[in-house]
């Protein structure tokens, strides 16, 4: 699936508020969907790039021989899910914002994993 289709699929996840495909080397979004006045996905993508880079530095410092599957940031009203792409696309991540009252986190993670596996960049 292409980027636009992947973003549409992610926005169909129950509770989805916004989604972005982000290159964490540059901090730039390759595509976004959703968001709105209170959620600037471009700013969020750049900020979450720093989260990913920081975790990668910590893993390197600890000499962990592993990879990040996803990261979860929980807010009182939202879930922010960061899913790193597989190793052939190692500088990309999907960033999904969910309304916590409407979302099922386990299902959202499952669907995002499926989208990541099918995405062709």
């Amino acid at each position: 699936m292409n980027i636009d289709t992947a973003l549409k699929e992610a926005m169909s996840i129950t509770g989805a508020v916004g989604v972005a495909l982000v290159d964490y080397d540059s901090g730039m979004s390759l595509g976004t969907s959703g968001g709105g006045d209170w959620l600037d996905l471009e700013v969020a993508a750049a900020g979450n790039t720093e989260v990913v880079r920081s975790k990668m530095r910590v893993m390197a410092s600890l000499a962990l021989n592993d990879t990040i599957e996803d990261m979860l940031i929980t807010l009182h009203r939202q879930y922010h899910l960061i899913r790193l792409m597989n190793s052939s696309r190692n500088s990309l991540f999907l960033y999904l914002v969910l309304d916590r009252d409407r979302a099922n986190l386990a299902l959202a993670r499952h669907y995002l994993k499926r989208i990541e596996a099918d995405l062709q960049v």
Side-chain angles (χ1 to χ4, degrees):
M1 97 177 48
N2 65 26
I3 294 171
D4 289 336
T5 303
L7 296 174
K8 286 177 188 171
E9 288 275 326
M11 284 302 295
S12 73
I13 296 171
T14 302
V17 175
V19 63
L21 177 63
V22 185
D23 178 344
Y24 67 76
D25 282 339
S26 68
M28 301 295 293
S29 294
L30 302 178
T32 63
S33 183
D37 292 338
W38 61 271
L39 177 59
D40 184 334
L41 286 168
E42 296 294 332
V43 172
N48 282 297
T49 292
E50 293 304 316
V51 172
V52 171
R53 289 177 184 165
S54 177
K55 186 59 184 173
M56 307 262 299
R57 282 191 302 271
V58 169
M59 289 178 60
S61 295
L62 296 172
L64 297 178
N65 187 21
D66 209 344
T67 58
I68 299 169
E69 185 174 333
D70 58 30
M71 296 182 213
L72 174 64
I73 300 166
T74 58
L75 306 178
H76 290 289
R77 293 182 299 234
Q78 300 167 8
Y79 293 124
H80 290 234
L81 187 57
I82 299 169
R83 171 127 192 126
L84 275 72
M85 303 296 283
N86 67 32
S87 61
S88 67
R89 298 166 281 189
N90 59 8
S91 66
L92 300 179
F93 66 88
L94 283 164
Y95 169 63
L96 178 65
V97 178
L98 298 161
D99 178 325
R100 192 170 173 162
D101 289 336
R102 297 185 312 129
N104 178 318
L105 184 56
L107 282 175
R109 289 184 70 223
H110 171 75
Y111 291 137
L112 204 58
K113 182 177 182 178
R114 184 181 49 81
I115 291 166
E116 180 260 331
D118 292 342
L119 178 58
Q120 300 294 318
V121 181

